[in-house]
Amino acid sequence: MSLDHATDLVKQQTLTRDAFLGGRLTVAQPERGFRAGLDSVLLGAAVRTRALRLLDLGAGVGTAALVALADRPELSATLVEADPVMLAIAAGNVADNGLAMRTRLVGLDLTAPGRVRAAAGLAADHFDSVIANPPFFDPGRGSAPAQSRAGARHMGEAKLDTWAKVAATHAAPDGEVIFIHTAEALPPLLIAFTQRFGAVTVLPLLPREGQPASRVVVRGIKGSRAPFRLLAGRALHESDGRAFRPEFDAIFRGTGRLVW
């Protein structure tokens, strides 16, 4: 599909324009289907401050990378997205937020063979940080909430391992790889990460204190020999009401980062 055709399809959709980081970012995204939200912000906020080159795998409309770029003026980002419509929306978001000079967009299925990724300009052993919010609805366990989300949100364990393998290929030595996923995906994520990285760290995210974790953020360091760490779970919300706890409120307002 050509970029012009993708742009025409974008015009046929109903897009919302959503504010992130206390209004510092404005992100267009489809009204229906998968929508970037808290997961994307947390993923972008988890990137180490000393990173200079960021790779966002399956970038969607670009929210996570934009969050990472917002507070790091020396950071550049490469966004990889297979869906040409989402890539066209991401291109608009990058331009509208004044980040085009520091961003490269690549239309590519990240599970393509290495030679195809290399031809698209994705160098091996290159990126200081590689981030991903992989699809998290397993097609063997039911349908995604809406048909339009099916392609972007369905993934089995084997393909999740492939994403980790691709991330490892493109991460630089001592580079970090960070995935955010559902808590139930932790077993295959741990297998994928511990086979390829050291210093693997798992941060469970709880909706509220005393509740089971709903999300996990997993980070590994390429080439490290440091041991595995399981961090204490952190609650996103206060015990009562919908307010976020101070640590996460600061992240979502754009005044804080996720501290490992």
Side-chain angles (χ1 to χ4, degrees), residues 71-156:
D71 277 331
R72 299 164 177 80
E74 296 182 353
L75 182 68
S76 64
T78 298
L79 281 61
V80 176
E81 174 55 48
D83 185 335
V85 174
M86 298 296 277
L87 192 69
I89 298 173
N93 287 332
V94 167
D96 290 346
N97 286 282
L99 295 167
M101 296 297 292
R102 294 196 281 140
T103 307
R104 178 170 176 254
L105 295 102
V106 178
L108 180 71
D109 182 345
L110 65 90
T111 65
R115 64 181 183 278
V116 176
R117 300 197 305 272
L122 295 182
D125 304 315
H126 179 70
F127 294 93
D128 304 311
S129 295
V130 182
I131 60 175
N133 180 9
F136 50 77
F137 288 98
D138 185 339
R141 301 179 62 182
S143 298
Q147 185 62 35
S148 60
R149 296 172 66 169
R153 294 291 93 188
H154 278 178
M155 177 182 287

Side-chain angles (χ1 to χ4, degrees), residues 215-229:
R215 293 286 188 272
V216 289
V217 188
V218 182
R219 181 178 70 167
I221 306 298
K222 185 171 178 176
S224 174
R225 295 182 177 275
F228 170 81
R229 290 193 306 156

Side-chain angles (χ1 to χ4, degrees), residues 246-258:
E247 173 189 357
F248 294 103
D249 186 64
I251 291 172
F252 299 137
R253 291 181 181 274
T255 59
R257 297 188 177 99
L258 191 143

Side-chain angles (χ1 to χ4, degrees), residues 22-58:
R24 291 170 55 201
L25 291 176
T26 301
V27 176
Q29 55 184 329
E31 184 178 43
R32 297 181 180 276
F34 173 73
R35 292 174 55 79
L38 302 184
D39 287 3
S40 298
V41 176
L42 290 169
L43 184 60
V47 173
R48 57 171 51 149
T49 57
R50 60 185 173 89
L52 297 177
R53 298 179 301 271
L54 171 69
L55 176 62
D56 186 353
L57 298 175

